[in-house]
Amino acid sequence: MMQPSNMYRMSARLGVALLAILLLAACGGAPAPGGAAATPTFPEPPTTAVTETTAAYPPAAEATEAQTPEGYPAPGEQPAASTTPAATDATSAAGGTGAVYMPYIGGPADPAAIAQAPPTETALPLPTPEPTATTTIPPSPTAPPAEALGPAPSPTPINVVDFAAAGAELAAQGQELAYNKIGFHVTFLEEADQLDGYMQRLDAEGVPFFLKSVDNAEPLYKAQELMKTSGVPHTLVYRSTEYDVPDYNLDPVLAAEAYWELEKAIWPPELDPSLVWLETMNELDKTRSEWLAQFSLRTAQLALRDGYKWAAFGWASGEPEPSDWESPAMLELLRLIGEHPDQLAIALHEYSYLAEDIGDDYPHKVGRFLDLFRVADAHGIPRPTVLITEWGWTYDHIPSEPLAMEHISWAARLYGAYPQVKGAAIWNLGKLGEEHEGLNAQLIALIDNMLALSLDSYFSAPALPEQAPLEAGLFPPPSE
């Protein structure tokens, strides 16, 4: 990750100063008394009394074709029914129910809408009463002024789910409500307030979001302060790129102790370690999994001692090998994480490595967390907390918006069925050097649609202590 250059920062400051001078000259304004600039303040979260608009997903032209709210993706785009042996095995694993966990749009579904179906079929909710339109966020701060765009059609308002009613409806059927868990991976934003409206709106509606930030504590600090006031359990993750990989040449315990002190020394002091997860490592050498298990076991003990929320590994997509989870030190680590699910976690990356096919080689890339849960179940260990701290397609490209939202919605349904998966961060919103400006622009364009997905949809999981079966065939990915 590269920080903005001094030249970029100087140009930005000169631009802001020039703009301020021009505005004062035009309006006859004067500087603050004593020549001091006014201190900026973090804007208050919006309230539902304010009427605002934004574009929802799918676009308005598509939404008018359907007579009733439908799930993501649209029924006509549902993948073909699965006929794999895995889907057949899922029936017995789920007690013969073959439950399929789908999104629901606009409010609680009729109980018959989520009746048990064979695992080779995808059940959609029955029509529900048209919900009342509620508030929506203002345009993204990076969008051009409205007058520069000229007249535009009215955007489709977001119909916010009555999550309390939906949760009660699911509870009556032995299920629990899950929110959209797909959020953003952030570096240095084009504008510091780029995500403010998104975060404030979700927080005001009581909807948790997932946010991972690298080398930039500011968006996490804003989210943390929202969470302190509202109590909404957002999942926030910070990582510095200064020490990505430990020293493999040292004894793993000694290496962990030295590495932990280095990481604590660069922890942003404005972040609360009891609220924000610390991820210390990134895409490690999978051939050293037993050394890394010993290293991580000692680090986990230190994190518990010092009151940090800590996530181990940050394995690359498609790693580690399933058998690596069963080494002695790794099983001991998993037991410790199982005993402290709110303070210790496993960090994974899940990419398809293909821009147009999120389900390529599923579940061995996206969906690989299932291997981890399968080992935990086999050894009588609680399924560990999982943070998917990088998620997406390729390092520098995502598909066009309609297809991207279809893929994201499928992943939200998959992760929603497993409460231990706290969320996934789409790579990448922010600057990664000039060669990846296109990727940043693509993610900026998804912010409003991601907000819509989080507010007008919900997902389901079996109510604890029941757990979703680990059969990939229950969640067939979208076809190409």
Side-chain angles (χ1 to χ4, degrees):
M1 308 297 177
M2 298 180 61
Q3 298 189 14
S5 67
N6 291 333
M7 182 64 72
Y8 174 86
R9 291 174 177 165
M10 182 63 72
S11 298
R13 291 185 183 124
L14 290 173
V16 172
L18 179 58
L19 177 60
I21 292 170
L22 292 174
L23 288 174
L24 287 171
C27 302
T39 301
T41 58
F42 184 56
E44 293 293 326
T47 64
T48 53
V50 181
T51 302
E52 301 155 338
T53 58
T54 188
Y57 185 80
E62 299 179 13
T64 56
E65 297 177 2
Q67 299 301 311
T68 58
E70 296 291 354
Y72 294 91
E77 300 172 342
Q78 292 287 345
S82 172
T83 57
T84 62
T88 303
D89 294 342
T91 305
S92 59
T97 63
V100 176
Y101 308 104
M102 289 294 297
Y104 302 94
I105 310 300
D110 186 282
I114 51 177
Q116 308 300 337
T120 56
E121 299 178 357
T122 301
L124 292 173
L126 294 179
T128 57
E130 185 68 22
T132 303
T134 58
T135 60
T136 55
I137 64 165
S140 168
T142 58
E147 58 269 20
L149 297 175
S154 298
T156 304
I158 300 174
N159 294 315
V160 180
V161 169
D162 183 340
F163 291 105
E169 190 80 30
L170 288 173
Q173 301 162 57
Q175 298 185 27
E176 63 179 35
L177 180 142
Y179 297 95
N180 170 40
K181 298 178 182 180
I182 313 295
F184 292 102
H185 182 289
V186 172
T187 48
F188 292 98
L189 300 173
E190 286 190 331
E191 302 290 341
D193 60 354
Q194 198 161 19
L195 282 176
D196 286 1
Y198 165 88
M199 295 192 298
Q200 291 169 2
R201 178 65 193 283
L202 291 177
D203 186 82
E205 297 285 359
V207 175
F209 56 79
F210 188 91
L211 181 65
K212 155 80 177 289
S213 187
V214 170
D215 292 331
N216 180 8
E218 183 175 7
L220 294 173
Y221 175 74
K222 292 177 178 181
Q224 166 191 282
E225 296 307 294
L226 287 173
M227 184 163 57
K228 285 181 178 179
T229 300
S230 67
V232 180
H234 308 304
T235 302
L236 313 175
V237 187
Y238 177 79
R239 185 174 71 82
S240 167
T241 58
E242 189 163 348
Y243 309 112
D244 273 353
V245 179
D247 187 347
Y248 296 125
N249 296 315
L250 298 177
D251 172 83
V253 172
L254 295 178
E257 292 171 350
Y259 190 83
W260 181 245
E261 294 304 317
L262 291 172
E263 289 287 348
K264 285 198 303 178
I266 60 173
W267 172 260
E270 64 271 31
L271 298 183
D272 185 338
S274 70
L275 297 177
V276 180
W277 289 89
L278 170 58
E279 180 187 23
T280 55
M281 297 177 283
N282 184 63
E283 302 199 343
L284 305 159
D285 182 352
K286 72 172 186 176
T287 66
R288 302 175 184 266
S289 64
E290 177 64 4
W291 187 97
L292 286 162
Q294 296 174 44
F295 172 94
S296 296
L297 178 61
R298 180 55 182 156
T299 306
Q301 295 165 347
L302 297 171
L304 292 173
R305 181 197 68 186
D306 294 341
Y308 281 75
K309 296 165 73 76
W310 179 71
F313 300 122
W315 292 114
S317 185
E319 296 178 1
E321 295 305 315
S323 60
D324 290 341
W325 293 117
E326 298 193 81
S327 71
M330 192 71 81
L331 290 175
E332 189 175 353
L333 172 66
L334 295 181
R335 290 188 185 94
L336 185 62
I337 294 174
E339 294 168 2
H340 301 274
D342 297 326
Q343 198 172 343
L344 299 175
I346 298 290
L348 303 173
H349 298 171
E350 295 201 350
Y351 291 92
S352 67
Y353 296 137
L354 290 179
E356 305 300 323
D357 185 6
I358 195 63
D360 181 66
D361 201 25
Y362 166 77
H364 303 299
K365 290 184 287 186
V366 175
R368 199 170 183 86
F369 73 94
L370 296 171
D371 288 336
L372 169 58
F373 286 177
R374 193 169 289 109
V375 169
D377 287 0
H379 290 270
I381 299 171
R383 294 178 182 178
T385 298
V386 167
L387 310 177
I388 300 175
T389 54
E390 292 183 20
W391 182 93
W393 297 266
T394 73
Y395 185 72
D396 58 1
H397 183 69
I398 67 173
S400 59
E401 184 177 308
L403 183 60
M405 289 306 300
E406 180 183 351
H407 291 178
I408 290 166
S409 301
W410 164 73
R413 181 166 64 92
L414 168 67
Y415 299 141
Y418 300 92
Q420 297 83 6
V421 178
K422 299 303 180 184
I426 303 176
W427 175 272
N428 174 70
L429 183 62
K431 294 295 186 180
L432 285 170
E434 293 182 0
E435 68 272 22
H436 296 304
E437 287 183 354
L439 177 68
N440 182 38
Q442 288 176 297
L443 262 292
I444 290 172
L446 285 184
I447 293 174
D448 287 348
N449 284 342
M450 289 295 295
L451 175 66
L453 176 65
S454 293
L455 291 178
D456 70 9
S457 307
Y458 66 95
F459 306 86
S460 66
L464 295 174
E466 297 298 321
Q467 299 192 98
L470 302 177
E471 300 300 335
L474 290 174
F475 305 94
S479 57
E480 292 186 64

